């Protein structure tokens, strides 16, 4: 073989050996994750090939992680941090990498962090600490894991607890406010109980004396009084009666509170019959007709529901139409909240719907909520007697039973009250 051909062949062999060595180095680099792309030289140009090494996806995940990720040496020196952690500290990457992790721990948390770090050198640890940068305190939760034996470092995942702590503070403030309001409510209830006693005894006693002495004047001294004197005396007696009625209604309202939860399984038919018996004279005088079907049997507070039916029937008699005999229809039916189509009811809860309908003077629908407010009246005192508390008591009793009440009416034609009480 000629010398020139031999030299060319040796050159080719050296070139192939060089390429083989480069390939072996590339393979080693790919295995260790040192490269994510490489170039292969062709005859006329180089071609770039990208690849994803075994830990490429992992490294991308850590960088995009919504929490801080840090690797520190066993001395606490930060050798890796993702972007999130440097942003959490509001420091540039260059100020974080190469620093000691303890430099960013609040003085009050140094002992706790040291304990967690010592535990992590043997395995794992986790806990809450505070970081501190530029006097800004950052509450965090840290999870530390030793990366031995593969790497002589400790991996730390850092979760920002700033929002969590804010929410906890809001909840604590809300609880404290709720406790203050509960104390105020207890005080109010105590005062209300005291008022109930005063109203039942101390306030009514002078009224009884006024009524008693005015009756004596009418009985014994009437002939000595002028017509004006008799008129004034009559007005005084009516005022006393109104005042007594008002005190009794306020007392009834104060007694219908949620603490009286002695629920009993009661047939509403029985309650209705008791009310009709109590109101026998008034019903007879008004020639009123009460029509009812088979009513529900549910758990309720007996004396309160007796008051409820009494007030609704009294309301129907009080606002009877002058040209019609009072006709009151009382019905009930069972069903789920969804079946009644009322948004305020729970769809899957079973309710007893008690309906009381009359043919009285009714009211305009725009007042369907106002009529339940205490002391609210749609008519003057001279037209219809009453204190404006009766329907407020009805609503309060319904709410004591976790129910709702709806009123509907048409002026001149009558009113209807629908009560929904949860069965269980």
């Amino acid at each position: 073989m000629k010398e020139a051909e031999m030299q060319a062949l040796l050159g080719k062999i050296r070139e192939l050996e060089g390429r083989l060595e480069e390939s072996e180095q590339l393979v080693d680099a790919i295995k260790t994750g040192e490269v994510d792309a490489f170039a292969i030289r062709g005859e006329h140009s180089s071609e770039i090939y990208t690849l994803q090494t075994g830990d490429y996806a992992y490294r991308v995940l850590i960088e995009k992680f919504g929490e801080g990720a840090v690797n520190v040496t066993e001395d606490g020196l930060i050798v890796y941090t993702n972007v999130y952690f440097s942003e959490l500290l509001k420091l540039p990457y260059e100020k974080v990498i190469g620093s000691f992790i303890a430099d960013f721990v609040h003085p009050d948390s140094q002992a706790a962090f040291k304990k967690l770090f010592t535990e992590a050198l043997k395995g794992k640890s986790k806990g809450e600490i505070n970081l501190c940068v530029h006097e800004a305190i950052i509450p965090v939760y840290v999870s530390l894991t030793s990366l031995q034996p593969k790497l002589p470092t400790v991996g730390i995942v850092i979760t920002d607890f700033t929002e969590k702590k804010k929410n906890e503070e809001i909840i604590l403030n809300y609880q404290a406010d709720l406790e203050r309001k509960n104390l105020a409510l207890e005080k109010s209830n105590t005062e209300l109980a005291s008022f109930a006693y005063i109203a039942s005894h101390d306030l009514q006693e002078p009224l009884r004396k006024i009524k008693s002495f005015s009756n004596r004047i009418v009985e014994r001294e009437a002939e000595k009084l002028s017509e004006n004197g008799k008129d004034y005396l009559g007005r005084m007696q009516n005022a006393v009666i109104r005042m007594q009625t008002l005190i009794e209604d306020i007392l009834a309202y104060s007694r219908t509170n949620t603490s009286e939860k002695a629920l009993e399984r009661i047939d509403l038919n029985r309650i209705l019959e008791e009310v009709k018996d109590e109101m026998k004279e008034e019903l007879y005088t008004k020639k009123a007709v009460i029509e009812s079907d088979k009513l529900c049997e549910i758990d309720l507070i007996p004396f309160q529901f007796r008051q409820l039916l009494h007030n609704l029937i009294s309301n129907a008699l009080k606002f009877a139409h002058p040209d019609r005999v009072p006709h009151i229809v009382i019905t009930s039916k069972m069903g789920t909240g969804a079946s009644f189509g009322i948004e305020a009811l729970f769809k899957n809860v079973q309710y007893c719907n008690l309906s009381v309908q009359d043919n009285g003077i009714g009211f305009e629908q725009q007042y369907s909520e106002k009529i339940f407010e205490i002391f609210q009246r749609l008519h003057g005192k001279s037209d219809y007697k009453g204190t404006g508390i009766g329907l407020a008591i009805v609503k309060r009793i319904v709410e004591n039973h976790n129910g709702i009440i709806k009123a509907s009416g048409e002026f001149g034609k009558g009113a209807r009250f629908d009560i929904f009480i949860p069965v269980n």
Side-chain angles (χ1 to χ4, degrees), residues 238-253 311 315 318-319 371 373-381 384-393:
N238 289 335
V240 169
I241 292 171
R242 285 200 304 273
M243 188 63 180
Q244 284 182 320
T245 304
L246 178 60
I247 290 172
E248 288 169 0
D249 284 351
I250 292 174
L251 269 173
Y253 185 79
N311 286 12
N315 192 74
K318 185 187 304 178
F319 297 105
I371 60 176
E373 296 176 11
I374 192 168
F375 300 126
Q376 289 296 325
R377 300 170 56 94
L378 302 184
H379 309 280
K381 292 179 182 177
Y384 298 94
K385 295 180 179 180
T387 58
I389 300 179
L391 290 180
I393 292 174

Side-chain angles (χ1 to χ4, degrees), residues 60-102:
V60 170
L61 174 64
I62 294 300
E63 285 300 323
K64 301 293 184 182
F65 206 30
E67 296 181 341
V70 180
N71 277 6
V72 300
T73 65
E74 295 181 350
D75 295 328
L77 184 70
I78 299 174
V79 293
Y80 168 79
T81 177
N82 66 352
V83 175
Y84 183 95
F85 183 62
S86 60
E87 290 178 348
L88 176 65
L89 298 177
K90 294 182 174 58
L91 292 174
Y93 177 84
E94 296 77 16
K95 291 283 187 180
V96 179
I97 203 77
S99 300
F100 285 93
I101 186 67

Side-chain angles (χ1 to χ4, degrees), residues 95-131:
K95 291 283 187 180
V96 179
I97 203 77
S99 300
F100 285 93
I101 186 67
D103 294 342
F104 305 117
V105 177
H106 191 277
D108 293 343
S109 295
Q110 286 285 350
F113 180 74
K114 184 177 180 180
K115 181 180 178 182
L116 291 172
F117 194 82
T118 302
E119 292 174 359
L121 290 174
K122 302 173 184 177
K124 295 181 179 180
S125 65
K126 56 183 66 175
E128 289 186 36
I129 62 168
N130 286 330
L131 301 181

Side-chain angles (χ1 to χ4, degrees), residues 104-324:
F104 305 117
V105 177
H106 191 277
D108 293 343
S109 295
Q110 286 285 350
F113 180 74
K114 184 177 180 180
K115 181 180 178 182
L116 291 172
F117 194 82
T118 302
E119 292 174 359
L121 290 174
K122 302 173 184 177
K124 295 181 179 180
S125 65
K126 56 183 66 175
E128 289 186 36
I129 62 168
N130 286 330
L131 301 181
C132 184
V133 181
H134 303 314
E135 299 184 354
I137 299 175
I138 308 169
V140 296
Y141 184 83
V142 291
S143 179
L144 302 88
T145 304
S146 173
L147 302 181
Q148 292 280 13
K150 292 186 177 180
L151 294 172
T153 58
V154 174
I156 307 176
V157 176
I158 301 158
T159 305
D160 184 7
F161 265 19
T162 302
E163 289 301 316
K164 180 177 181 291
K165 292 297 181 182
K166 284 181 181 178
N167 292 336
E168 286 177 354
E169 186 176 353
I170 291 171
I171 291 171
L172 288 173
N173 289 337
Y174 175 77
Q175 288 175 337
D177 184 55
L178 191 61
E179 288 176 5
R180 286 193 296 270
K181 289 180 178 178
N182 283 337
L183 289 173
L185 183 60
E186 287 178 11
K187 182 180 178 182
S188 176
N189 286 339
T190 301
E191 291 172 351
L192 190 59
S194 299
F195 168 76
Y197 174 79
I198 292 170
S200 63
H201 185 270
D202 296 355
L203 289 180
Q204 295 217 50
E205 183 58 29
L207 288 175
R208 280 192 289 268
K209 288 184 177 179
I210 293 171
K211 186 177 180 181
S212 176
F213 285 123
S214 64
N215 286 339
R216 289 183 185 181
I217 293 173
V218 170
E219 292 170 2
R220 301 177 185 180
E221 309 291 336
E223 69 277 0
K224 298 179 182 179
L225 296 174
S226 65
E227 290 302 316
N228 282 340
K230 292 177 182 178
D231 179 56
Y232 296 153
L233 189 60
R235 292 187 185 186
M236 182 181 72
Q237 287 179 312
N238 289 335
V240 169
I241 292 171
R242 285 200 304 273
M243 188 63 180
Q244 284 182 320
T245 304
L246 178 60
I247 290 172
E248 288 169 0
D249 284 351
I250 292 174
L251 269 173
Y253 185 79
S254 70
R255 287 170 180 157
T256 53
N257 59 67
T258 54
S259 64
E260 298 170 348
K261 285 278 186 181
L263 295 173
E264 295 180 25
R265 174 65 61 162
I266 297 292
D267 184 352
L268 285 176
N269 295 280
R270 192 186 105 193
I271 298 288
L272 177 59
E273 289 305 314
E274 291 175 0
V275 172
K276 286 164 66 175
D277 189 60
E278 290 172 3
M279 303 181 69
K280 185 183 295 184
E281 186 176 338
E282 190 174 357
L283 291 169
Y284 177 78
T285 303
K286 293 274 189 176
K287 298 180 181 179
V289 176
I290 296 181
E291 179 185 341
S292 64
D293 61 7
K294 179 67 176 174
L295 302 180
C296 298
E297 184 175 315
I298 56 173
D299 293 330
L300 47 81
I301 306 170
F303 84 91
Q304 287 194 7
F305 241 79
R306 192 178 296 113
Q307 180 78 55
L308 178 146
L309 282 173
H310 186 283
N311 286 12
L312 288 177
I313 293 172
S314 293
N315 192 74
L317 296 179
K318 185 187 304 178
F319 297 105
H321 197 285
D323 300 329
R324 293 191 289 266

Side-chain angles (χ1 to χ4, degrees), residues 296-412:
C296 298
E297 184 175 315
I298 56 173
D299 293 330
L300 47 81
I301 306 170
F303 84 91
Q304 287 194 7
F305 241 79
R306 192 178 296 113
Q307 180 78 55
L308 178 146
L309 282 173
H310 186 283
N311 286 12
L312 288 177
I313 293 172
S314 293
N315 192 74
L317 296 179
K318 185 187 304 178
F319 297 105
H321 197 285
D323 300 329
R324 293 191 289 266
V325 172
H327 185 200
I328 304 166
V329 180
I330 302 176
T331 60
S332 73
K333 60 181 177 180
M334 305 288 284
T336 62
S339 68
F340 293 118
I342 296 177
E343 189 175 341
L345 300 178
F346 293 103
K347 293 182 179 180
N348 298 322
V349 172
Q350 192 81 0
Y351 290 89
C352 169
N353 170 211
L354 178 67
S355 173
V356 179
Q357 186 169 1
D358 64 55
N359 63 341
I361 62 172
F363 58 86
E364 294 180 2
Q365 190 60 30
Q366 68 189 66
Y367 300 115
S368 62
E369 295 294 333
K370 184 179 179 181
I371 60 176
F372 292 113
E373 296 176 11
I374 192 168
F375 300 126
Q376 289 296 325
R377 300 170 56 94
L378 302 184
H379 309 280
K381 292 179 182 177
S382 59
D383 298 325
Y384 298 94
K385 295 180 179 180
T387 58
I389 300 179
L391 290 180
I393 292 174
V394 168
K395 184 177 182 182
R396 190 164 183 176
I397 290 171
V398 172
E399 290 173 347
N400 283 356
H401 290 77
N402 299 318
I404 68 167
I405 183 169
K406 295 286 184 181
S408 55
E410 189 174 351
F411 187 73

